[in-house]
Amino acid sequence: MMRPARSTAGAQNVAPLISRRGAELRYSSYDVLVVGGGIAGLTAAVGAAHRWNVGLVTKGTLDQTTTFLAQGGIAAALSPHDSPELHLKDTLEAGVGLCEEEAVRVLVEEGPARIRELEQLGTKFDRQGGKLILGREGAHSMARVVHAGGDATGSVVASALAQVLTSGGRVELHENEFVLDLLMDSGRCVGAVSLGEEGELTVSLARAVVLACGGAGQVFAHTTNPLVATGDGHAMAYRAGAVMRDMEFMQFHPTAFYGTENPTLLLTEALRGEGAFLRDDAGERFMMRSHPRAELAPRDVVVRHMRRVFDRDKTDHVWLDARHLESRFLRERFPTVHVGLQKRGFDLCTQLIPVAPASHYFIGGALTDTWGRTTIPGLFACGETASAGIHGANRLASNSLLEGLVFGERTVRELDRYLAVADPAVRKVRLDLADERREGNDAAAVAESRRTVGQVMMHMCGIVRTREDMEKTRTTLEALQASLAAPGLSVAELELFNLLTVARHIVATASVREESRGVHLRSDFPERDDARWRRHSLAQRDAATGELVVESSTVVESSAGEG
Ligand SMILES: Cc1cc2nc3c(=O)[nH]c(=O)nc-3n(C[C@H](O)[C@H](O)[C@H](O)COP(=O)(O)OP(=O)(O)OC[C@H]3O[C@@H](n4cnc5c(N)ncnc54)[C@H](O)[C@@H]3O)c2cc1C
């Protein structure tokens, strides 16, 4: 690995995160422990349970996931006019030169088979005259997005997978169980420790752990992500020593409902795919002059042009206009959005809807190969927690549900190989739990600190970044962390510490990348700089010092995206 850039960003206050604090200790043991019950975790657990004794832990219930909220659909080359090659080309272009072509090839070639399997499992995708209806979304050269229940794709798919999981009786499911940290033994991941609803701690020993904890949109104040998306999987993988990749890349969705709610309502890109426009205050369709695909330009491009309008018009939102589309069609095709807007006092069919960018998809994650293997033996990752390299610097719309399906299934195949030869489960493990009774932090201070992280990240290290702002952000985050006592056994506190960890990684890696590329926009380095920066950033905890070390990988050779 070439190491042209290296910076340290201060020691992380990470270990030991857990105070036993007199809590009851329970034990369980599995071949495979899956952490997370979204599309990636469900796919991995259902598949692995054919051969292995599997436990699945989720911090909420199975319907409290990002997957459940997904609206637009799943992209795959299913039309006779389409091909994996075209899907590959669109994905590489959207990724602005940072995609790993081998991983994208796996995604687009295996995607169609995974969609058909989902149908066999009982998912009812929307059809007309027996044929799948394929939707169009930004930066796709053709209509290739299957959807279900109109704009309720995520809940339909997740419910079908959850039904298989719970009816099969082969997976031990623990909902409302918060995983605090991974268990390590001689450099290998051997399980995890979790906190139950009654305050009890469970030590789950496992021969392999699959992290499928979703994203970290909650790091930013304006987000489409549910409250559970606090980057726990990212923070845990980092604490365990995994290499994290491309943590500076958070995708902001251009059309989230403008307001102060957390989370805010997404207005799916499929609306623009069906012909909705973006207008500025003067009513002008500003994307017409900005990109050949107008409103269907890649997301990063649309967000950049929205920013220009904000600066020019001294505003912080623009308008989504679907008034020219047929009302009945809008109500039937977009029931979630239509009802969601009604609850907020807006009518999609007759009114302009105020929209602003919101954090939506975290491209950064635990570095994996195309089989879900992280850099730690025994630790696998898939879905939004992982960085398999398929999104580059900007994710193509509707590729992430596909990512969960494809790489969740490949993780299962790899588990079969790994478990056939891996060491048996450890019988003993040294627990690095603090012994002292911790008072932790006052609930109001924790809530206030979470708000501060969100605000500072949104305004100082969000859509537009500068060295000066990021330096201030780093100082604010460090001061905040220093003001907090070590966390007690409360989910809110532990989430706050994980949010802080991820926020600091975003700031550290974004500061190092001195260029603008995809979703990473620096006003002090406005140009894309392939000579220096056609590279991934890699972040890792230095085992000896506990410091965060940021480096950059070798140049990405194979990805042809020209953005
Ligand atoms: C509003 C919205 C709409 C979207 N629409 C689309 C779309 O149409 N198409 C598309 O491709 N993508 C879409 N996306 C993105 C996509 O939904 C996500 O990237 C994807 O669902 C992530 O799946 P996942 O399995 O990785 O994680 P998730 O679905 O987020 O699941 C994460 C799981 O991990 C668990 N977990 C987290 N931390 C812990 C912990 N500490 N202990 C125990 N469990 C934990 C959670 O409880 C949850 O069960 C959308 C995203 C949003 C927010």
PDB file of all heavy atoms in Angstrom, residues 36-40 58-60 65-67 69-73 177-179 212-214 224-225 232 266 360-361 383-384 395 398 400-401, ligand 1:
ATOM      1  N   GLY A  36     -27.889  -6.818  13.355  1.00  0.00           N
ATOM      2  CA  GLY A  36     -28.645  -5.959  12.442  1.00  0.00           C
ATOM      3  C   GLY A  36     -29.706  -6.731  11.693  1.00  0.00           C
ATOM      4  O   GLY A  36     -29.443  -7.817  11.171  1.00  0.00           O
ATOM      5  N   GLY A  37     -30.919  -6.153  11.643  1.00  0.00           N
ATOM      6  CA  GLY A  37     -32.047  -6.831  11.005  1.00  0.00           C
ATOM      7  C   GLY A  37     -32.633  -6.045   9.845  1.00  0.00           C
ATOM      8  O   GLY A  37     -33.833  -6.083   9.600  1.00  0.00           O
ATOM      9  N   GLY A  38     -31.757  -5.306   9.104  1.00  0.00           N
ATOM     10  CA  GLY A  38     -32.193  -4.692   7.848  1.00  0.00           C
ATOM     11  C   GLY A  38     -31.997  -5.690   6.720  1.00  0.00           C
ATOM     12  O   GLY A  38     -31.801  -6.888   6.953  1.00  0.00           O
ATOM     13  N   ILE A  39     -32.018  -5.185   5.490  1.00  0.00           N
ATOM     14  CA  ILE A  39     -31.970  -6.110   4.340  1.00  0.00           C
ATOM     15  C   ILE A  39     -30.689  -6.951   4.351  1.00  0.00           C
ATOM     16  O   ILE A  39     -30.714  -8.141   4.030  1.00  0.00           O
ATOM     17  CB  ILE A  39     -32.142  -5.341   3.010  1.00  0.00           C
ATOM     18  CG1 ILE A  39     -32.406  -6.320   1.873  1.00  0.00           C
ATOM     19  CG2 ILE A  39     -30.935  -4.446   2.695  1.00  0.00           C
ATOM     20  CD1 ILE A  39     -32.998  -5.669   0.643  1.00  0.00           C
ATOM     21  N   ALA A  40     -29.558  -6.348   4.767  1.00  0.00           N
ATOM     22  CA  ALA A  40     -28.286  -7.082   4.731  1.00  0.00           C
ATOM     23  C   ALA A  40     -28.266  -8.159   5.817  1.00  0.00           C
ATOM     24  O   ALA A  40     -27.928  -9.326   5.549  1.00  0.00           O
ATOM     25  CB  ALA A  40     -27.123  -6.116   4.919  1.00  0.00           C
ATOM     26  N   THR A  58     -30.935  -7.184  17.088  1.00  0.00           N
ATOM     27  CA  THR A  58     -31.187  -5.842  16.550  1.00  0.00           C
ATOM     28  C   THR A  58     -31.570  -4.906  17.694  1.00  0.00           C
ATOM     29  O   THR A  58     -32.259  -5.314  18.626  1.00  0.00           O
ATOM     30  CB  THR A  58     -32.285  -5.799  15.454  1.00  0.00           C
ATOM     31  OG1 THR A  58     -33.353  -4.988  15.900  1.00  0.00           O
ATOM     32  CG2 THR A  58     -32.806  -7.153  15.109  1.00  0.00           C
ATOM     33  N   LYS A  59     -31.126  -3.667  17.576  1.00  0.00           N
ATOM     34  CA  LYS A  59     -31.328  -2.777  18.726  1.00  0.00           C
ATOM     35  C   LYS A  59     -32.753  -2.254  18.818  1.00  0.00           C
ATOM     36  O   LYS A  59     -33.165  -1.771  19.863  1.00  0.00           O
ATOM     37  CB  LYS A  59     -30.319  -1.633  18.721  1.00  0.00           C
ATOM     38  CG  LYS A  59     -30.498  -0.554  17.700  1.00  0.00           C
ATOM     39  CD  LYS A  59     -29.460   0.533  17.984  1.00  0.00           C
ATOM     40  CE  LYS A  59     -29.433   1.631  16.983  1.00  0.00           C
ATOM     41  NZ  LYS A  59     -28.409   2.628  17.232  1.00  0.00           N
ATOM     42  N   GLY A  60     -33.491  -2.335  17.729  1.00  0.00           N
ATOM     43  CA  GLY A  60     -34.910  -1.988  17.780  1.00  0.00           C
ATOM     44  C   GLY A  60     -35.712  -3.227  17.433  1.00  0.00           C
ATOM     45  O   GLY A  60     -35.260  -4.347  17.665  1.00  0.00           O
ATOM     46  N   THR A  65     -35.882  -0.067  10.953  1.00  0.00           N
ATOM     47  CA  THR A  65     -34.615  -0.089  10.219  1.00  0.00           C
ATOM     48  C   THR A  65     -34.688   0.924   9.087  1.00  0.00           C
ATOM     49  O   THR A  65     -35.771   1.379   8.713  1.00  0.00           O
ATOM     50  CB  THR A  65     -34.374  -1.476   9.578  1.00  0.00           C
ATOM     51  OG1 THR A  65     -35.416  -1.709   8.622  1.00  0.00           O
ATOM     52  CG2 THR A  65     -34.383  -2.589  10.605  1.00  0.00           C
ATOM     53  N   THR A  66     -33.540   1.240   8.527  1.00  0.00           N
ATOM     54  CA  THR A  66     -33.544   2.105   7.342  1.00  0.00           C
ATOM     55  C   THR A  66     -34.211   1.364   6.192  1.00  0.00           C
ATOM     56  O   THR A  66     -34.948   1.953   5.393  1.00  0.00           O
ATOM     57  CB  THR A  66     -32.095   2.487   6.968  1.00  0.00           C
ATOM     58  OG1 THR A  66     -31.471   3.033   8.119  1.00  0.00           O
ATOM     59  CG2 THR A  66     -32.066   3.515   5.858  1.00  0.00           C
ATOM     60  N   THR A  67     -33.931   0.062   6.126  1.00  0.00           N
ATOM     61  CA  THR A  67     -34.533  -0.732   5.051  1.00  0.00           C
ATOM     62  C   THR A  67     -36.040  -0.523   5.010  1.00  0.00           C
ATOM     63  O   THR A  67     -36.634  -0.380   3.931  1.00  0.00           O
ATOM     64  CB  THR A  67     -34.214  -2.232   5.282  1.00  0.00           C
ATOM     65  OG1 THR A  67     -32.794  -2.396   5.245  1.00  0.00           O
ATOM     66  CG2 THR A  67     -34.861  -3.100   4.235  1.00  0.00           C
ATOM     67  N   LEU A  69     -37.789   1.919   5.607  1.00  0.00           N
ATOM     68  CA  LEU A  69     -38.218   3.227   5.083  1.00  0.00           C
ATOM     69  C   LEU A  69     -37.983   3.375   3.581  1.00  0.00           C
ATOM     70  O   LEU A  69     -38.428   4.351   2.978  1.00  0.00           O
ATOM     71  CB  LEU A  69     -37.447   4.350   5.779  1.00  0.00           C
ATOM     72  CG  LEU A  69     -37.600   4.493   7.290  1.00  0.00           C
ATOM     73  CD1 LEU A  69     -36.758   5.655   7.785  1.00  0.00           C
ATOM     74  CD2 LEU A  69     -39.068   4.716   7.642  1.00  0.00           C
ATOM     75  N   ALA A  70     -37.230   2.419   2.996  1.00  0.00           N
ATOM     76  CA  ALA A  70     -36.814   2.616   1.595  1.00  0.00           C
ATOM     77  C   ALA A  70     -38.028   2.747   0.686  1.00  0.00           C
ATOM     78  O   ALA A  70     -38.996   1.996   0.808  1.00  0.00           O
ATOM     79  CB  ALA A  70     -35.927   1.461   1.152  1.00  0.00           C
ATOM     80  N   GLN A  71     -37.956   3.703  -0.221  1.00  0.00           N
ATOM     81  CA  GLN A  71     -39.131   4.032  -1.022  1.00  0.00           C
ATOM     82  C   GLN A  71     -38.984   3.613  -2.488  1.00  0.00           C
ATOM     83  O   GLN A  71     -39.773   2.831  -3.012  1.00  0.00           O
ATOM     84  CB  GLN A  71     -39.370   5.553  -0.988  1.00  0.00           C
ATOM     85  CG  GLN A  71     -39.712   6.098   0.373  1.00  0.00           C
ATOM     86  CD  GLN A  71     -39.902   7.620   0.338  1.00  0.00           C
ATOM     87  OE1 GLN A  71     -39.678   8.272  -0.684  1.00  0.00           O
ATOM     88  NE2 GLN A  71     -40.337   8.182   1.450  1.00  0.00           N
ATOM     89  N   GLY A  72     -37.937   4.155  -3.130  1.00  0.00           N
ATOM     90  CA  GLY A  72     -37.857   4.102  -4.598  1.00  0.00           C
ATOM     91  C   GLY A  72     -37.809   2.698  -5.155  1.00  0.00           C
ATOM     92  O   GLY A  72     -38.556   2.347  -6.066  1.00  0.00           O
ATOM     93  N   GLY A  73     -36.938   1.849  -4.639  1.00  0.00           N
ATOM     94  CA  GLY A  73     -36.880   0.484  -5.136  1.00  0.00           C
ATOM     95  C   GLY A  73     -35.476  -0.071  -5.209  1.00  0.00           C
ATOM     96  O   GLY A  73     -34.559   0.418  -4.555  1.00  0.00           O
ATOM     97  N   GLU A 177     -32.173  -5.320  21.599  1.00  0.00           N
ATOM     98  CA  GLU A 177     -30.938  -5.735  22.251  1.00  0.00           C
ATOM     99  C   GLU A 177     -29.810  -4.936  21.596  1.00  0.00           C
ATOM    100  O   GLU A 177     -29.553  -5.080  20.398  1.00  0.00           O
ATOM    101  CB  GLU A 177     -30.762  -7.244  22.011  1.00  0.00           C
ATOM    102  CG  GLU A 177     -29.546  -7.862  22.592  1.00  0.00           C
ATOM    103  CD  GLU A 177     -29.746  -8.374  24.020  1.00  0.00           C
ATOM    104  OE1 GLU A 177     -30.907  -8.566  24.437  1.00  0.00           O
ATOM    105  OE2 GLU A 177     -28.732  -8.551  24.706  1.00  0.00           O
ATOM    106  N   PHE A 178     -29.160  -4.095  22.374  1.00  0.00           N
ATOM    107  CA  PHE A 178     -28.173  -3.154  21.826  1.00  0.00           C
ATOM    108  C   PHE A 178     -26.769  -3.748  21.929  1.00  0.00           C
ATOM    109  O   PHE A 178     -26.285  -4.005  23.042  1.00  0.00           O
ATOM    110  CB  PHE A 178     -28.250  -1.837  22.612  1.00  0.00           C
ATOM    111  CG  PHE A 178     -27.337  -0.765  22.104  1.00  0.00           C
ATOM    112  CD1 PHE A 178     -27.780   0.148  21.154  1.00  0.00           C
ATOM    113  CD2 PHE A 178     -26.040  -0.638  22.577  1.00  0.00           C
ATOM    114  CE1 PHE A 178     -26.944   1.153  20.676  1.00  0.00           C
ATOM    115  CE2 PHE A 178     -25.198   0.366  22.109  1.00  0.00           C
ATOM    116  CZ  PHE A 178     -25.655   1.260  21.154  1.00  0.00           C
ATOM    117  N   VAL A 179     -26.120  -3.968  20.812  1.00  0.00           N
ATOM    118  CA  VAL A 179     -24.750  -4.494  20.862  1.00  0.00           C
ATOM    119  C   VAL A 179     -23.790  -3.341  21.158  1.00  0.00           C
ATOM    120  O   VAL A 179     -23.789  -2.320  20.470  1.00  0.00           O
ATOM    121  CB  VAL A 179     -24.371  -5.215  19.553  1.00  0.00           C
ATOM    122  CG1 VAL A 179     -22.910  -5.632  19.564  1.00  0.00           C
ATOM    123  CG2 VAL A 179     -25.263  -6.435  19.370  1.00  0.00           C
ATOM    124  N   ALA A 212     -24.095  -5.832  10.351  1.00  0.00           N
ATOM    125  CA  ALA A 212     -25.009  -5.290   9.335  1.00  0.00           C
ATOM    126  C   ALA A 212     -25.871  -4.231  10.013  1.00  0.00           C
ATOM    127  O   ALA A 212     -27.096  -4.294  10.016  1.00  0.00           O
ATOM    128  CB  ALA A 212     -25.861  -6.416   8.749  1.00  0.00           C
ATOM    129  N   CYS A 213     -25.172  -3.257  10.602  1.00  0.00           N
ATOM    130  CA  CYS A 213     -25.830  -2.262  11.471  1.00  0.00           C
ATOM    131  C   CYS A 213     -26.312  -1.025  10.733  1.00  0.00           C
ATOM    132  O   CYS A 213     -26.729  -0.054  11.371  1.00  0.00           O
ATOM    133  CB  CYS A 213     -24.869  -1.825  12.575  1.00  0.00           C
ATOM    134  SG  CYS A 213     -24.399  -3.143  13.674  1.00  0.00           S
ATOM    135  N   GLY A 214     -26.245  -1.018   9.415  1.00  0.00           N
ATOM    136  CA  GLY A 214     -26.746   0.123   8.667  1.00  0.00           C
ATOM    137  C   GLY A 214     -25.813   1.316   8.747  1.00  0.00           C
ATOM    138  O   GLY A 214     -24.612   1.183   8.992  1.00  0.00           O
ATOM    139  N   THR A 224     -32.634  11.833   6.522  1.00  0.00           N
ATOM    140  CA  THR A 224     -33.758  10.944   6.216  1.00  0.00           C
ATOM    141  C   THR A 224     -33.666   9.655   7.024  1.00  0.00           C
ATOM    142  O   THR A 224     -34.566   8.834   6.988  1.00  0.00           O
ATOM    143  CB  THR A 224     -33.727  10.535   4.726  1.00  0.00           C
ATOM    144  OG1 THR A 224     -32.489   9.845   4.487  1.00  0.00           O
ATOM    145  CG2 THR A 224     -33.834  11.729   3.811  1.00  0.00           C
ATOM    146  N   ASN A 225     -32.555   9.450   7.700  1.00  0.00           N
ATOM    147  CA  ASN A 225     -32.298   8.170   8.380  1.00  0.00           C
ATOM    148  C   ASN A 225     -33.048   8.065   9.696  1.00  0.00           C
ATOM    149  O   ASN A 225     -33.192   9.061  10.417  1.00  0.00           O
ATOM    150  CB  ASN A 225     -30.806   8.013   8.685  1.00  0.00           C
ATOM    151  CG  ASN A 225     -29.979   7.627   7.479  1.00  0.00           C
ATOM    152  OD1 ASN A 225     -28.861   7.142   7.601  1.00  0.00           O
ATOM    153  ND2 ASN A 225     -30.509   7.845   6.283  1.00  0.00           N
ATOM    154  N   ASP A 232     -23.292   2.706  14.874  1.00  0.00           N
ATOM    155  CA  ASP A 232     -22.758   1.796  15.891  1.00  0.00           C
ATOM    156  C   ASP A 232     -21.832   0.754  15.277  1.00  0.00           C
ATOM    157  O   ASP A 232     -20.781   0.430  15.842  1.00  0.00           O
ATOM    158  CB  ASP A 232     -23.892   1.049  16.617  1.00  0.00           C
ATOM    159  CG  ASP A 232     -24.887   1.977  17.292  1.00  0.00           C
ATOM    160  OD1 ASP A 232     -24.573   3.168  17.442  1.00  0.00           O
ATOM    161  OD2 ASP A 232     -25.970   1.504  17.657  1.00  0.00           O
ATOM    162  N   LEU A 266     -38.502  11.647   3.303  1.00  0.00           N
ATOM    163  CA  LEU A 266     -37.847  11.633   1.991  1.00  0.00           C
ATOM    164  C   LEU A 266     -38.904  11.771   0.894  1.00  0.00           C
ATOM    165  O   LEU A 266     -39.983  11.182   1.000  1.00  0.00           O
ATOM    166  CB  LEU A 266     -37.096  10.309   1.804  1.00  0.00           C
ATOM    167  CG  LEU A 266     -36.444  10.136   0.432  1.00  0.00           C
ATOM    168  CD1 LEU A 266     -35.209  11.022   0.317  1.00  0.00           C
ATOM    169  CD2 LEU A 266     -36.082   8.692   0.170  1.00  0.00           C
ATOM    170  N   HIS A 360     -28.228  10.961   3.929  1.00  0.00           N
ATOM    171  CA  HIS A 360     -29.119   9.882   3.463  1.00  0.00           C
ATOM    172  C   HIS A 360     -28.437   8.526   3.424  1.00  0.00           C
ATOM    173  O   HIS A 360     -28.997   7.532   3.853  1.00  0.00           O
ATOM    174  CB  HIS A 360     -29.611  10.264   2.066  1.00  0.00           C
ATOM    175  CG  HIS A 360     -30.584   9.307   1.472  1.00  0.00           C
ATOM    176  ND1 HIS A 360     -31.835   9.109   2.005  1.00  0.00           N
ATOM    177  CD2 HIS A 360     -30.497   8.492   0.382  1.00  0.00           C
ATOM    178  CE1 HIS A 360     -32.486   8.209   1.275  1.00  0.00           C
ATOM    179  NE2 HIS A 360     -31.685   7.808   0.298  1.00  0.00           N
ATOM    180  N   TYR A 361     -27.230   8.481   2.887  1.00  0.00           N
ATOM    181  CA  TYR A 361     -26.547   7.181   2.751  1.00  0.00           C
ATOM    182  C   TYR A 361     -25.066   7.360   3.052  1.00  0.00           C
ATOM    183  O   TYR A 361     -24.406   8.220   2.464  1.00  0.00           O
ATOM    184  CB  TYR A 361     -26.715   6.622   1.320  1.00  0.00           C
ATOM    185  CG  TYR A 361     -26.010   5.298   1.186  1.00  0.00           C
ATOM    186  CD1 TYR A 361     -26.654   4.104   1.472  1.00  0.00           C
ATOM    187  CD2 TYR A 361     -24.657   5.245   0.832  1.00  0.00           C
ATOM    188  CE1 TYR A 361     -25.984   2.894   1.402  1.00  0.00           C
ATOM    189  CE2 TYR A 361     -23.982   4.039   0.771  1.00  0.00           C
ATOM    190  CZ  TYR A 361     -24.655   2.869   1.057  1.00  0.00           C
ATOM    191  OH  TYR A 361     -23.995   1.670   1.009  1.00  0.00           O
ATOM    192  N   GLY A 383     -23.993  -4.594   3.687  1.00  0.00           N
ATOM    193  CA  GLY A 383     -24.949  -3.482   3.743  1.00  0.00           C
ATOM    194  C   GLY A 383     -24.223  -2.169   3.992  1.00  0.00           C
ATOM    195  O   GLY A 383     -23.039  -2.018   3.688  1.00  0.00           O
ATOM    196  N   GLU A 384     -24.947  -1.220   4.594  1.00  0.00           N
ATOM    197  CA  GLU A 384     -24.406   0.138   4.696  1.00  0.00           C
ATOM    198  C   GLU A 384     -23.231   0.233   5.672  1.00  0.00           C
ATOM    199  O   GLU A 384     -22.444   1.178   5.604  1.00  0.00           O
ATOM    200  CB  GLU A 384     -25.548   1.091   5.106  1.00  0.00           C
ATOM    201  CG  GLU A 384     -25.307   2.504   4.668  1.00  0.00           C
ATOM    202  CD  GLU A 384     -26.516   3.424   4.799  1.00  0.00           C
ATOM    203  OE1 GLU A 384     -27.669   2.960   4.642  1.00  0.00           O
ATOM    204  OE2 GLU A 384     -26.291   4.620   5.070  1.00  0.00           O
ATOM    205  N   ARG A 395     -23.124   7.394  -4.534  1.00  0.00           N
ATOM    206  CA  ARG A 395     -23.904   6.170  -4.782  1.00  0.00           C
ATOM    207  C   ARG A 395     -24.964   6.399  -5.856  1.00  0.00           C
ATOM    208  O   ARG A 395     -25.684   7.403  -5.836  1.00  0.00           O
ATOM    209  CB  ARG A 395     -24.591   5.759  -3.479  1.00  0.00           C
ATOM    210  CG  ARG A 395     -25.526   4.596  -3.612  1.00  0.00           C
ATOM    211  CD  ARG A 395     -26.205   4.297  -2.294  1.00  0.00           C
ATOM    212  NE  ARG A 395     -27.213   5.267  -1.964  1.00  0.00           N
ATOM    213  CZ  ARG A 395     -28.523   5.047  -2.002  1.00  0.00           C
ATOM    214  NH1 ARG A 395     -28.982   3.871  -2.382  1.00  0.00           N
ATOM    215  NH2 ARG A 395     -29.386   5.983  -1.665  1.00  0.00           N
ATOM    216  N   SER A 398     -30.807   3.628  -5.707  1.00  0.00           N
ATOM    217  CA  SER A 398     -31.388   2.277  -5.626  1.00  0.00           C
ATOM    218  C   SER A 398     -30.366   1.145  -5.745  1.00  0.00           C
ATOM    219  O   SER A 398     -30.726  -0.011  -5.965  1.00  0.00           O
ATOM    220  CB  SER A 398     -32.524   2.088  -6.641  1.00  0.00           C
ATOM    221  OG  SER A 398     -33.633   2.832  -6.199  1.00  0.00           O
ATOM    222  N   SER A 400     -28.408   0.517  -3.102  1.00  0.00           N
ATOM    223  CA  SER A 400     -28.009   0.058  -1.766  1.00  0.00           C
ATOM    224  C   SER A 400     -28.854  -1.093  -1.237  1.00  0.00           C
ATOM    225  O   SER A 400     -28.339  -1.958  -0.530  1.00  0.00           O
ATOM    226  CB  SER A 400     -27.967   1.215  -0.770  1.00  0.00           C
ATOM    227  OG  SER A 400     -29.138   1.941  -0.846  1.00  0.00           O
ATOM    228  N   LEU A 401     -30.136  -1.134  -1.569  1.00  0.00           N
ATOM    229  CA  LEU A 401     -30.886  -2.341  -1.203  1.00  0.00           C
ATOM    230  C   LEU A 401     -30.266  -3.528  -1.935  1.00  0.00           C
ATOM    231  O   LEU A 401     -30.118  -4.622  -1.377  1.00  0.00           O
ATOM    232  CB  LEU A 401     -32.367  -2.187  -1.563  1.00  0.00           C
ATOM    233  CG  LEU A 401     -33.166  -1.176  -0.730  1.00  0.00           C
ATOM    234  CD1 LEU A 401     -34.593  -1.063  -1.259  1.00  0.00           C
ATOM    235  CD2 LEU A 401     -33.212  -1.574   0.752  1.00  0.00           C
TER     236      LEU A 401
HETATM  237  C1  LIG B   1     -35.929   7.175   3.644  1.00  0.00           C
HETATM  238  C2  LIG B   1     -34.952   6.287   2.910  1.00  0.00           C
HETATM  239  C3  LIG B   1     -35.309   5.767   1.667  1.00  0.00           C
HETATM  240  C4  LIG B   1     -34.418   4.946   0.987  1.00  0.00           C
HETATM  241  N1  LIG B   1     -34.810   4.416  -0.213  1.00  0.00           N
HETATM  242  C5  LIG B   1     -33.975   3.562  -0.847  1.00  0.00           C
HETATM  243  C6  LIG B   1     -34.384   2.920  -2.061  1.00  0.00           C
HETATM  244  O1  LIG B   1     -35.489   3.127  -2.549  1.00  0.00           O
HETATM  245  N2  LIG B   1     -33.511   2.069  -2.642  1.00  0.00           N
HETATM  246  C7  LIG B   1     -32.276   1.794  -2.131  1.00  0.00           C
HETATM  247  O2  LIG B   1     -31.531   1.005  -2.715  1.00  0.00           O
HETATM  248  N3  LIG B   1     -31.876   2.376  -0.969  1.00  0.00           N
HETATM  249  C8  LIG B   1     -32.689   3.231  -0.319  1.00  0.00           C
HETATM  250  N4  LIG B   1     -32.284   3.800   0.849  1.00  0.00           N
HETATM  251  C9  LIG B   1     -31.031   3.339   1.468  1.00  0.00           C
HETATM  252  C10 LIG B   1     -31.264   1.929   2.025  1.00  0.00           C
HETATM  253  O3  LIG B   1     -32.557   1.873   2.587  1.00  0.00           O
HETATM  254  C11 LIG B   1     -30.235   1.549   3.092  1.00  0.00           C
HETATM  255  O4  LIG B   1     -28.945   1.800   2.624  1.00  0.00           O
HETATM  256  C12 LIG B   1     -30.362   0.065   3.427  1.00  0.00           C
HETATM  257  O5  LIG B   1     -31.689  -0.237   3.772  1.00  0.00           O
HETATM  258  C13 LIG B   1     -29.436  -0.300   4.573  1.00  0.00           C
HETATM  259  O6  LIG B   1     -29.698  -1.627   4.924  1.00  0.00           O
HETATM  260  P1  LIG B   1     -28.842  -2.325   6.057  1.00  0.00           P
HETATM  261  O7  LIG B   1     -29.336  -3.722   6.155  1.00  0.00           O
HETATM  262  O8  LIG B   1     -27.416  -2.103   5.797  1.00  0.00           O
HETATM  263  O9  LIG B   1     -29.194  -1.492   7.385  1.00  0.00           O
HETATM  264  P2  LIG B   1     -30.567  -1.111   8.091  1.00  0.00           P
HETATM  265  O10 LIG B   1     -31.745  -1.409   7.280  1.00  0.00           O
HETATM  266  O11 LIG B   1     -30.431   0.281   8.584  1.00  0.00           O
HETATM  267  O12 LIG B   1     -30.579  -2.044   9.360  1.00  0.00           O
HETATM  268  C14 LIG B   1     -29.641  -1.846  10.398  1.00  0.00           C
HETATM  269  C15 LIG B   1     -29.939  -2.811  11.518  1.00  0.00           C
HETATM  270  O13 LIG B   1     -28.864  -2.788  12.453  1.00  0.00           O
HETATM  271  C16 LIG B   1     -29.381  -2.726  13.759  1.00  0.00           C
HETATM  272  N5  LIG B   1     -28.392  -2.109  14.631  1.00  0.00           N
HETATM  273  C17 LIG B   1     -27.717  -0.941  14.464  1.00  0.00           C
HETATM  274  N6  LIG B   1     -26.902  -0.728  15.504  1.00  0.00           N
HETATM  275  C18 LIG B   1     -27.066  -1.764  16.352  1.00  0.00           C
HETATM  276  C19 LIG B   1     -26.530  -2.105  17.621  1.00  0.00           C
HETATM  277  N7  LIG B   1     -25.662  -1.313  18.263  1.00  0.00           N
HETATM  278  N8  LIG B   1     -26.946  -3.241  18.213  1.00  0.00           N
HETATM  279  C20 LIG B   1     -27.855  -4.056  17.606  1.00  0.00           C
HETATM  280  N9  LIG B   1     -28.405  -3.778  16.409  1.00  0.00           N
HETATM  281  C21 LIG B   1     -28.011  -2.653  15.805  1.00  0.00           C
HETATM  282  C22 LIG B   1     -30.665  -1.905  13.613  1.00  0.00           C
HETATM  283  O14 LIG B   1     -31.506  -2.139  14.720  1.00  0.00           O
HETATM  284  C23 LIG B   1     -31.201  -2.493  12.314  1.00  0.00           C
HETATM  285  O15 LIG B   1     -31.874  -3.695  12.578  1.00  0.00           O
HETATM  286  C24 LIG B   1     -33.147   4.648   1.542  1.00  0.00           C
HETATM  287  C25 LIG B   1     -32.785   5.186   2.761  1.00  0.00           C
HETATM  288  C26 LIG B   1     -33.670   6.000   3.441  1.00  0.00           C
HETATM  289  C27 LIG B   1     -33.271   6.586   4.756  1.00  0.00           C
END
